Amino acid sequence: MKHLSALEELLNYELPKHLIAQKLSDPRDACRLLVVHRDTGTLEDKRFYQIKDYVKPGDVLVLNNTKVLKARIKGRRKTGGAVEILLVRPLRDNVWECLLKPLRKIKIGEVLLLNGGAEVKLLERTERTAIIELGMSAQELDSYLDDWGEVPTPPYIRRKVPAEEYQTVFASKPGAVAAPTAGLHFTENLLQDLKNMGVKISYVTLHVALGTFESLASDWQEKSELHQETFFVSAETAKTVNEAKESGHSVFAVGTTVVRSLESAACDDGKLNTVFSDTSLFIKPGYSWKVVDKLVTNFHLPQTSLLLLVSSFATPDLILKAYRHAIEEEYKFYSLGDAMLIL
């Protein structure tokens, strides 16, 4: 029998179904927190609000302020068949890339009738997605989605999640199709406590795309790029992070989306720039880290780029040890589950 490396074993780990979280902890910051020490390899079982014990005055906590769109909309064909659309990203005025069910049955040029009276036209199909034209302005779309859209949640969550639950308390920039889940654990009180301690809170915006959840391609070792996501690092955030690094303080990235934003916006010397762009950065073992010193993250699905990212930040052996411990101690996994702090 072939001996698996730590990375192979991690990428293919098996999770008992009852450990897949179906709801957030109440309060959010009462969820469990597995603290992973890279220098000693030790693990600590804590509660999320105890993150305050590991962040020092002058450190910077960077959060992703993207807001999840109510991007799932339903309707029917003129022939009567049901349709479901998940908006993925805007391409130009009134034109969006989306996931469409049933993708193959609908004809190019066909007009679909959405709940609430709106209409869309199918312009073209790709292998997995569709390009549609919306019969409404951007402002009208915002209003329509508020009234008729649903927040898309991952298929492993079996209950209908209220929109406010699948949203961080600091979400302010609409555009994501999924929540930056590491940020879900923060409450307004916890953030205020951190500010009162002298911790600096900064924000980036990265609109989470569907590619985040895709399984790795079989040839991922040969790939140097990953799916594209749009991100923004402001001048204010760049200044705060650069000043903290220069004065010897730590930068805590809350979530893999923040990691992608900061590392994509950094020069080789670690200085952070103001950037509004797309990133296809693929972080895997062997990557040279530039900005991030500490990482807050959830427990991720097998066979995903997110596992490669956290394995790069620590080591595959240590992350495998952490995941084994989390399963043994019955931590909750995935989007609404518990968290890990890697120091």
Side-chain angles (χ1 to χ4, degrees):
M1 183 176 177
K2 179 187 174 185
H3 176 70
L4 296 178
S5 68
L7 184 57
E8 289 174 309
E9 194 169 341
L10 176 66
L11 289 174
N12 294 287
Y13 80 92
E14 293 186 12
L15 182 73
K17 284 191 169 61
H18 73 279
L19 297 184
I20 300 174
Q22 296 300 310
K23 62 181 180 179
L24 283 178
S25 294
D26 185 17
R28 293 174 177 228
D29 61 1
C31 74
R32 299 172 74 184
L33 177 69
L34 179 58
V35 181
V36 180
H37 294 266
R38 288 185 293 172
D39 54 350
T40 62
T42 56
L43 308 175
E44 296 181 281
D45 297 305
K46 300 287 185 177
R47 292 288 169 180
F48 193 82
Y49 57 78
Q50 291 175 294
I51 194 172
K52 292 183 288 188
D53 297 338
Y54 301 93
V55 189
K56 299 174 182 176
D59 288 346
V60 182
L61 191 76
V62 186
L63 304 161
N64 183 3
N65 61 8
T66 188
K67 188 173 183 178
V68 183
L69 293 171
K70 288 185 175 181
R72 192 185 303 279
I73 47 183
K74 296 179 180 179
R76 59 184 174 82
R77 303 175 69 186
K78 290 184 178 179
T79 56
V83 297
E84 181 175 297
I85 294 170
L86 175 58
L87 299 177
V88 173
R89 63 187 178 113
L91 300 179
R92 53 188 185 274
D93 288 349
N94 302 337
V95 176
W96 280 71
E97 182 180 17
C98 71
L99 296 181
L100 174 62
K101 296 180 183 177
L103 178 61
R104 298 299 164 196
K105 291 184 179 179
I106 299 171
K107 300 174 182 176
I108 302 299
E110 186 173 340
V111 174
L112 308 174
L113 308 175
L114 302 181
N115 295 347
E119 295 184 351
V120 302
K121 181 193 289 186
L122 178 60
L123 298 182
E124 59 182 282
R125 275 189 293 262
T126 66
E127 186 176 338
R128 295 180 59 248
T129 64
I131 310 300
I132 59 171
E133 182 178 35
L134 301 166
M136 61 186 95
S137 67
Q139 188 173 3
E140 289 170 334
L141 176 61
D142 288 342
S143 177
Y144 174 81
L145 292 178
D146 278 342
D147 292 339
W148 294 96
E150 298 175 9
V151 170
T153 51
Y156 50 75
I157 298 175
R158 299 186 299 274
R159 57 187 271 266
K160 186 171 182 179
V161 180
E164 62 274 10
E165 183 178 348
Y166 194 59
Q167 204 80 265
T168 64
V169 298
F170 46 84
S172 62
K173 307 292 184 183
V177 298
T181 54
L184 291 174
H185 309 296
F186 286 90
T187 62
E188 291 173 354
N189 286 340
L190 177 55
L191 289 171
Q192 189 59 54
D193 287 347
L194 290 164
K195 289 177 185 176
N196 293 343
M197 289 169 51
V199 177
K200 300 180 186 302
I201 308 295
S202 291
Y203 298 94
V204 297
T205 304
L206 182 142
H207 294 316
V208 188
L210 291 173
T212 296
F213 305 106
E214 288 180 351
S215 295
L216 288 166
S218 57
D219 61 344
W220 65 264
Q221 294 95 332
E222 282 77 52
K223 292 184 179 296
S224 58
E225 294 186 341
L226 208 56
H227 61 273
Q228 279 198 345
E229 291 174 313
T230 302
F231 76 103
F232 174 56
V233 176
S234 68
E236 181 182 3
T237 292
K239 182 174 183 288
T240 300
V241 168
N242 288 335
E243 288 177 350
K245 299 285 284 188
E246 288 166 8
S247 58
H249 294 293
S250 293
V251 175
F252 285 70
V254 178
T256 56
T257 59
V258 172
V259 167
R260 248 191 142 197
S261 300
L262 294 178
E263 294 293 319
S264 295
C267 299
D268 288 339
D269 62 3
K271 186 174 182 180
L272 197 61
N273 296 311
T274 303
V275 176
F276 176 50
S277 185
D278 291 333
T279 178
S280 56
L281 180 64
F282 189 5
I283 297 178
K284 53 187 175 180
Y287 174 77
S288 297
W289 290 77
K290 304 178 182 72
V291 179
V292 177
D293 300 305
K294 314 287 173 65
L295 174 60
V296 182
T297 186
N298 277 22
F299 294 95
H300 303 295
L301 278 74
Q303 283 294 325
T304 56
S305 63
L306 306 179
L307 278 178
L308 291 176
L309 186 152
V310 296
S311 296
S312 168
F313 191 68
T315 64
D317 292 273
L318 183 53
I319 298 302
L320 177 60
K321 175 182 175 181
Y323 270 60
R324 284 173 171 168
H325 176 85
I327 291 171
E328 185 178 319
E329 295 298 320
E330 300 215 323
Y331 277 67
K332 295 296 185 181
F333 278 58
Y334 305 164
S335 295
L336 301 181
D338 296 316
M340 184 163 57
L341 169 61
I342 308 176
L343 299 173

